[in-house]
Amino acid sequence: RMKAHLYLPIENTDYVLCEYNVKHVDHNYFDHFDEYLISLLSRGYKPIVAHIERYYQNHNLDIDFIKYLIEMGCVIQVNSSSLLTNSIYRTNAMRLLDHQLVHVIASDTHRAHKSRYPNLDECYCFLTQCGFDQNYLNILFYDNPKRIIENQFLTQNRKDLFLKTVVLKFDEELYFNEKSSLNQSDFDILIEGK
């Protein structure tokens, strides 16, 4: 399908969900991982790398490689089910969240019951109990998925901004609380795509 340039974007947007086979991960798995993504990017698409935490089935999660994918223009998605299981997938997903390398948390729902059932509420509650800021979680569970469907730029995952920032707007100029670590470029990240 790639050779024929047949792509199926989400809701006629520029976003394309990219899923790799997690059952055949070997030592050469990541040697050509980015070629498909680069091909999509060169055609103006925005690849969403599905459940990247599952591609690392041992304890060798490559944070630098994931940063590289994000810098290329990829969106990183983590499965809610990965966060709700006591496995290496949860460990990987939590590390990605701690490094603020996740854009979207979504379900891998294939049916309404048994395995892969809708569990986003359960996952949201779990992450809240783990101490993640609700504003940060709202970006991952609601804001960014909505922005994908609306074909907008995603809000950057800067949870530190939500923990210490007060932004005031007067006469179309931005003034930042003197106790805040925010500057103009940080705010521009938040409103990118508006």
Side-chain angles (χ1 to χ4, degrees):
R1 290 182 186 154
M2 277 205 49
K3 290 180 182 176
H5 306 296
L6 298 174
Y7 307 106
L8 186 60
I10 297 171
E11 290 291 318
N12 296 315
T13 68
D14 296 330
Y15 290 95
V16 176
L17 187 65
C18 303
E19 183 172 21
Y20 292 84
N21 189 342
V22 297
K23 294 181 181 178
H24 299 289
V25 177
D26 61 19
H27 66 282
N28 297 325
Y29 191 72
F30 291 100
D31 290 350
H32 304 284
F33 189 90
D34 60 350
E35 289 175 3
Y36 171 57
L37 303 172
I38 290 168
S39 174
L40 285 169
L41 288 162
S42 71
R43 290 173 174 79
Y45 291 105
K46 299 171 189 166
I48 302 171
V49 182
H51 51 67
I52 198 162
E53 75 281 3
R54 294 180 62 199
Y55 305 137
Y56 294 93
Q57 298 180 5
N58 52 37
H59 292 279
N60 296 324
L61 183 68
D62 190 344
I63 295 294
D64 289 332
F65 183 73
I66 295 167
K67 286 179 182 177
Y68 157 73
L69 295 177
I70 292 170
E71 289 168 5
M72 273 182 16
C74 295
V75 173
I76 303 299
Q77 179 263 324
V78 166
N79 281 357
S80 55
S81 57
S82 294
L83 288 156
L84 295 172
T85 59
N86 192 10
S87 68
I88 186 63
Y89 303 145
R90 176 194 283 177
T91 303
N92 289 342
M94 292 298 273
R95 280 192 65 205
L96 292 169
L97 286 168
D98 286 339
H99 282 76
Q100 301 177 24
L101 298 175
V102 178
H103 297 95
V104 175
I105 296 176
S107 72
D108 194 16
T109 299
H110 287 228
R111 59 191 63 81
H113 61 284
K114 295 186 180 179
S115 66
R116 296 189 184 186
Y117 62 92
N119 56 12
L120 291 173
D121 286 341
E122 184 181 349
C123 185
Y124 187 96
C125 290
F126 169 74
L127 291 173
T128 301
Q129 291 171 354
C130 289
F132 287 95
D133 180 76
Q134 287 184 336
N135 291 317
Y136 176 54
L137 294 177
N138 288 342
I139 289 173
L140 304 178
F141 282 89
Y142 177 75
D143 296 342
N144 279 346
K146 184 175 185 262
R147 287 174 170 274
I148 288 170
I149 292 170
E150 295 172 349
N151 205 30
Q152 296 179 352
F153 289 105
L154 302 188
T155 301
Q156 298 297 311
N157 300 330
R158 296 281 310 276
K159 66 182 174 185
D160 58 306
L161 297 180
F162 298 107
L163 299 176
K164 346 177 200 178
T165 304
V166 176
V167 179
L168 304 173
K169 186 173 181 179
F170 299 105
D171 299 323
E172 300 302 312
E173 290 185 44
L174 297 171
Y175 295 89
F176 298 91
N177 182 327
E178 63 186 12
K179 294 181 182 177
S180 172
S181 63
L182 250 188
N183 59 41
Q184 181 66 44
S185 62
D186 290 326
F187 188 75
D188 290 342
I189 290 170
L190 287 174
I191 61 171
E192 182 179 333
K194 284 192 178 181

